[in-house]
Amino acid sequence: MSQAIVKLKSKIEKSAEKDCIMEFINESAVERCSFEFEDTFEASHSYIMKVKNWSMEIQKCEFYSSATAEDMKLNSSIVSVESGELKISETTFRDIHSARSILLFHEEQNVIIDEAIISNIECEGDIVSVERKAKVDMKEMGVENVTLLLEKCVIGMEDDEKEVRSLNCSFGKSTNSVEKGSMMQIRQSKEVKVETCVCDGEKDEEIINEEVE
């Protein structure tokens, strides 16, 4: 998929076989595409885009909401990987109110976020969630103007068995409606590396470590 404008503006029914709207199998690429979520978009799928296996690259894309209704809420994670490799570069996620994590990595996968900007987000889950057997390498990722609506965080790592690395990432000002949560929560992960990252929050950032090497 290359140089497309995808407008999501209607109710999409979930089938018994698929829990995602777009599924990518084998070697795939999405380049220079815009995905716009409009007021009338409604879906009960767990994911918008799901990488089934093999490898996929998302490059120079943007995901954003043009909804004007205050109660318009995205009920699906935008990107998830079941297995294989995913590389995200020069991609923006912005102006979205989400009930789930924007990026969800939780199976046998190798994820590289080369360059991404996450801005103007309201989220009821961890904005980036890393679980179980995912190996994630985040480079040059910028997070700014996010609102955490529950006791969640920007990056959450839970029961992860592989390495998670955050390098040259920037965490801008954020707010938390329940006065709890943190920029990063590390919950029983095996190996986590945070290098040359910058935090500029309105409150002191908190890192929770349990059984971290």
Side-chain angles (χ1 to χ4, degrees), residues 12-45:
I12 301 177
E13 298 291 343
K14 188 171 86 170
S15 67
E17 297 80 16
K18 303 291 184 182
D19 196 20
C20 59
I21 295 175
M22 290 173 276
E23 185 176 73
F24 296 86
I25 301 175
N26 299 327
E27 190 170 352
S28 308
V30 178
E31 184 177 3
R32 299 179 185 274
C33 295
S34 294
F35 295 84
E36 179 183 357
F37 304 99
E38 298 190 355
D39 287 272
T40 55
F41 175 69
E42 182 181 345
S44 57
H45 301 74

Side-chain angles (χ1 to χ4, degrees), residues 43-54:
S44 57
H45 301 74
S46 296
Y47 321 107
I48 303 295
M49 302 173 65
K50 184 177 181 180
V51 181
K52 182 72 174 178
N53 52 37
W54 284 43

